[in-house]
Amino acid sequence: MNEPIKVGVCLAALSPMGLRGALATAAGVGVDVVDLPADRSFGLVDADRLADPEHHREVSALLRVARARVGCVSNSRDTQLALGPHGPHTDPVLAGSTGDKRAYGQRAALGTVALAAALGAPLARLMLGVPDLGRWLSWWGSEVSWRDNVSAWVEAAAPALDLARESGVRVVVEPHPKQVVYDPASARALLAAAPEIGLCLDVANLAAVGHDPVHAARGWGDRLAAVHAKDLQVWRLPDDPRGAGWSRYGPGPPIRFRALGCGELPWAEIVATLLDEDYRGVIYVEHEDTLLPTEQGIATSVAALRTLLPAGAPQGRTW
């Protein structure tokens, strides 16, 4: 049997604890591989020193003490400014001109790759934003299409991809409605346009915009580099939902993310599909459940995943 799938934790939800506390919480549920966000707003690392060797040594020292390793360094909020939007939507990240915001996003992308390389992380997950959501639609008499966004991504990502290539880091993208990759078709288009990048698959994000989560786990081959795990509820009644955490991913019905086993996604089938597809990387628990305390939600999701993953080599039928 190939190496088993490992369970990891995205540290974003644990950022109020600081890096030391976040790593301790991950260790408390038996997890030693993490996704480390480099965004300024999370404060787990110093966003002004992402390329600073001294800061690299400081972060590495905390990882050694915690006996943890970083499987992926991620950036979703700061790097969003590379492609935008550049209006008031992103002013809480940086208020300024379009040029200022683009430069900020580019610096964040380069710093994220540099930090990943210094920490020995094989992956850097970059969420570079999307320049024009109007390209979702067809326009009479116009040849504008989503492929224009794909081309813009390749151009904007070029400096980070060059650094990643030199540093032995693989850039990965995650499907999300605020990104150029938002569904399986756009993911395939970007993977074709940028052969060196990989996919961080989040089936809950894809299910939130109407795609089958089991089918979404199929067919990626060696382009599948990481997986995020969270559950999903979809509100299908005509009135507005009550309770915390409901949002919309575009024009569809309200959705909210839950800990594994608290929503409607068939995670047993999803995990079986990943095993059938020979995926043997890390499944990162991504806690976004607003109904459960963070530590409880993470522990719930980690335990649910472990019941679905083989703890050793399967014997097959022995009777």
Side-chain angles (χ1 to χ4, degrees):
M1 183 179 177
N2 296 325
E3 287 295 313
I5 294 175
K6 288 187 67 69
V7 177
V9 168
C10 295
L11 296 185
L14 298 170
S15 62
M17 302 178 179
L19 183 55
R20 193 187 307 272
L23 292 171
T25 298
V29 292
V31 168
D32 63 1
V33 57
V34 299
D35 177 301
L36 174 63
D39 312 69
R40 184 182 304 276
S41 59
F42 292 123
L44 290 173
V45 297
D46 188 338
D48 291 321
R49 301 171 62 205
L50 295 181
D52 181 352
E54 179 58 31
H55 189 46
H56 298 164
R57 287 189 284 272
E58 294 165 0
V59 176
S60 294
L62 289 174
L63 292 166
R64 282 195 299 274
V65 170
R67 297 183 179 179
R69 68 179 177 89
V70 177
C72 180
V73 177
S74 59
N75 202 311
S76 56
R77 296 178 182 174
D78 295 339
T79 53
Q80 176 88 28
L81 274 62
L83 286 173
H86 296 126
H89 324 66
T90 51
D91 279 352
V93 178
L94 180 77
S97 68
T98 295
D100 291 338
K101 291 188 175 191
R102 283 176 177 157
Y104 180 90
Q106 287 285 1
R107 286 194 301 273
L110 290 169
T112 300
V113 172
L115 180 60
L119 299 180
L123 305 177
R125 178 166 54 87
L126 301 181
M127 312 283 274
L128 299 184
V130 59
D132 187 354
L133 287 171
R135 292 168 178 162
W136 265 340
L137 306 171
S138 59
W139 299 91
W140 182 85
S142 173
E143 295 182 358
V144 166
S145 75
W146 198 259
R147 290 194 172 275
D148 298 318
N149 281 338
V150 171
S151 298
W153 190 97
V154 172
E155 181 179 355
L161 292 177
D162 288 343
L163 179 60
R165 197 177 303 112
E166 295 166 5
S167 306
V169 172
R170 190 182 195 188
V171 169
V172 299
V173 295
E174 175 189 352
H176 191 282
K178 295 178 183 177
Q179 302 300 315
V180 169
V181 168
Y182 69 93
D183 70 352
S186 58
R188 287 191 291 269
L190 187 58
L191 293 177
E196 67 267 52
I197 70 170
L199 181 69
C200 175
L201 180 67
D202 190 320
V203 296
N205 283 352
L206 293 172
V209 293
H211 294 277
D212 183 283
V214 176
H215 182 69
R218 296 192 178 109
W220 301 109
D222 61 4
R223 305 302 294 274
L224 183 57
V227 174
H228 282 181
K230 56 182 182 274
D231 218 324
L232 177 74
Q233 287 181 285
V234 180
W235 184 262
R236 296 180 175 87
L237 298 179
D239 54 327
D240 291 334
R242 294 183 60 186
W246 293 100
S247 63
R248 290 181 185 271
Y249 267 23
I255 58 96
R256 69 177 171 187
F257 296 117
R258 300 297 314 279
L260 262 64
C262 299
E264 59 188 62
L265 297 187
W267 270 98
E269 291 181 66
I270 293 165
V271 169
T273 299
L274 291 169
L275 291 167
D276 289 342
E277 293 285 309
D278 293 323
Y279 177 71
R280 296 298 183 269
V282 182
I283 301 179
Y284 293 94
V285 166
E286 186 177 33
H287 176 78
E288 296 185 18
D289 191 317
T290 55
L291 298 185
L292 296 179
T294 300
E295 292 182 58
Q296 180 187 354
I298 289 173
T300 297
S301 293
V302 168
L305 272 181
R306 286 188 172 138
T307 65
L308 300 175
L309 291 168
Q315 289 83 34
R317 182 165 178 166
T318 58
W319 62 95

